[in-house]
Amino acid sequence: MAILLDMTRSHVPVLAGELIDMTGPAEGDKVVDCTFGAGGHARLMADRIGASGTLVCVDRDPAAQERFDELAAEVSCETRFLRMDYADALALLHEEGFRADLVYFDLGVSSMQIDARERGFSYSYDAPLDMRMDPTQELDARQVVNTLEERQLVKVMSEYGEERNARVIAREIVRRRQKAPIETTGELVEAVEAALPAAVRRRFGGSSPAKRVFQAIRILVNDELEDLDRALPAAWSVLAEGARLAAISFHSLEDRRVKRFLAERAVGCICPPDLPVCACGQTPEAELLNRRAVGPTPGEMADNPRSSSGRLRVARRKKTGEEV
Ligand SMILES: C[S@@+](CC[C@H](N)C(=O)[O-])C[C@H]1O[C@@H](n2cnc3c(N)ncnc32)[C@H](O)[C@@H]1O
């Protein structure tokens, strides 16, 4: 489905047509957008569910609230904004007995956050090291870069950034911060570049060698992977029978978690194959609507290079007694 997007808004929603096509929001549906951002996906959902639908929007960034207020004034469905962590928001909805027809995540940071230079998410602008999605939380990137022990820095960059040069980069960060704290994104980029031999730096061509380091620190500051691990079961618990769960991830650490979570729910009988009748009684709770993650078309990537790493997975919660 081709979707006309308003390119003047600061965040262009990724895989929007694919998300709508694969989740099929209908008139009157109850939808939870766990990562509201600038509301690009939410607006498309609101159009589909109409005046009888309900749209719950979640984001922990107070900047998203302003965008939500604009959207709420323009759409006809019932709307609600929860400014909190998505795992907590889903737990709250579950407690309230809310049952959704669709829950979706569009993970990571928004362009609004990356392009707000003073928030220190980007290696492209020089700004104070911050990277907090929720500016009221205490831990920020400055503390991480200046207080983590060298071996912890190596671990974070290796695990969350899959950074092969983590050891030399951590050593250089520690060497520099012994003289003076690393305060800005520019100083962090300089430390990364100084740690790498020229031949390695050249391999990055036009992209920054600091990209993976920034990703790793951002994931740690915002506790992104732990949150996702808590949020997926919470999302599953608010799905009505026959409802859908969708997630758009932007790196393999997220996608792997989503894939594993959905695959585990799609598993049926686990009895040994030589057992004549099933003794475990386990039936699949989920139907995977795509076995392989769906990525952006070349056209979308050309229009919005930030979509390039987007991967969408969708599953449906089976109804009780539904044929396997
Ligand atoms: C990629 S953006 C979403 C963009 C949105 N789909 C749109 O079309 O504008 C991700 C958003 O999720 C929010 N977010 C990330 N992790 C979160 C969490 N654990 N709880 C709540 N919000 C979160 C971020 O603050 C950011 O605004």
Side-chain angles (χ1 to χ4, degrees):
M1 176 196 291
I3 292 220
L4 279 179
L5 298 169
D6 177 0
M7 302 298 276
T8 60
R9 297 187 71 79
S10 54
H11 181 93
V12 182
V14 171
L15 290 165
E18 291 80 354
L19 178 69
I20 294 285
D21 280 348
M22 291 180 65
T23 58
E27 196 90 357
D29 274 359
K30 292 183 178 168
V31 174
V32 184
D33 179 327
C34 294
T35 48
F36 179 79
H41 289 119
R43 195 168 286 272
L44 298 170
M45 292 291 168
D47 289 345
R48 298 298 189 289
I49 63 179
S52 55
T54 304
L55 180 62
V56 180
C57 301
V58 182
D59 205 298
R60 61 180 165 187
D61 187 340
Q65 172 100 50
E66 216 175 290
R67 296 303 185 100
F68 170 79
D69 292 342
E70 284 169 29
L71 175 125
E74 289 165 24
V75 300
S76 60
C77 59
E78 188 184 322
T79 52
R80 177 177 178 191
F81 188 72
L82 297 173
R83 194 184 81 67
M84 54 174 87
D85 191 297
Y86 46 52
D88 296 339
L90 290 160
L92 174 75
L93 291 170
H94 183 253
E95 258 174 52
E96 291 176 357
F98 184 89
R99 286 292 166 268
D101 300 295
L102 166 62
V103 177
Y104 64 92
F105 298 84
D106 174 21
L107 298 164
V109 274
S110 68
S111 301
M112 280 189 324
Q113 290 166 327
I114 296 173
D115 295 338
R117 22 180 102 205
E118 72 286 359
R119 298 190 65 176
F121 279 104
S122 173
Y123 45 80
S124 307
Y125 313 122
D126 193 17
L129 268 174
D130 188 331
M131 303 195 201
R132 290 170 299 172
M133 290 182 190
D134 173 359
T136 64
Q137 85 172 33
E138 210 179 301
L139 183 69
D140 64 9
R142 185 186 177 283
Q143 281 180 54
V144 167
V145 170
N146 289 289
T147 61
L148 244 54
E149 285 176 22
E150 185 172 331
R151 63 184 173 79
Q152 290 174 310
L153 281 171
V154 173
K155 191 165 186 288
V156 168
M157 290 189 281
S158 311
E159 285 182 12
Y160 294 167
E162 299 179 295
E163 172 57 68
R164 287 203 216 132
N165 302 298
R167 278 182 194 288
V168 285
I169 296 171
R171 198 176 310 139
E172 182 63 19
I173 288 174
V174 170
R175 196 185 67 76
R176 287 182 175 226
R177 77 186 190 194
Q178 276 162 353
K179 293 185 191 148
I182 298 174
E183 303 276 0
T184 67
T185 50
E187 287 165 15
L188 180 58
V189 171
E190 273 172 31
V192 174
E193 288 176 350
L196 301 176
V200 175
R201 282 201 311 271
R202 275 198 296 275
R203 271 187 235 141
F204 288 89
S207 78
S208 169
K211 189 173 172 179
R212 287 171 179 273
V213 173
F214 272 62
Q215 172 185 302
I217 294 170
R218 193 202 80 210
I219 289 176
L220 179 70
V221 167
N222 296 290
D223 207 7
E224 292 178 34
L225 299 176
E226 299 273 319
D227 273 356
L228 184 58
D229 285 340
R230 284 196 303 129
L232 289 168
W236 196 255
S237 75
V238 301
L239 291 182
E241 294 198 347
R244 286 161 198 228
L245 175 62
I248 300 171
S249 336
F250 288 87
H251 52 79
S252 57
L253 299 168
E254 290 169 342
D255 186 50
R256 235 177 273 154
R257 283 171 157 77
V258 174
K259 182 178 174 186
R260 192 181 54 216
F261 176 83
L262 297 178
E264 279 169 8
R265 263 133 209 95
V267 172
C269 171
I270 50 164
C271 293
D274 54 346
L275 215 64
V277 281
C278 168
C280 74
Q282 186 169 312
T283 54
E285 285 178 78
E287 178 194 357
L288 305 181
L289 299 190
N290 54 334
R291 295 255 159 208
R292 288 173 69 93
V294 172
T297 60
E300 179 171 5
M301 285 193 273
D303 289 344
N304 178 18
R306 283 180 183 166
S307 71
S308 304
S309 49
R311 295 288 174 271
L312 168 67
R313 294 185 187 274
V314 186
R316 188 176 68 87
R317 182 174 193 141
K318 287 180 172 261
K319 297 181 181 160
T320 312
E322 186 179 323
E323 281 294 306
V324 184

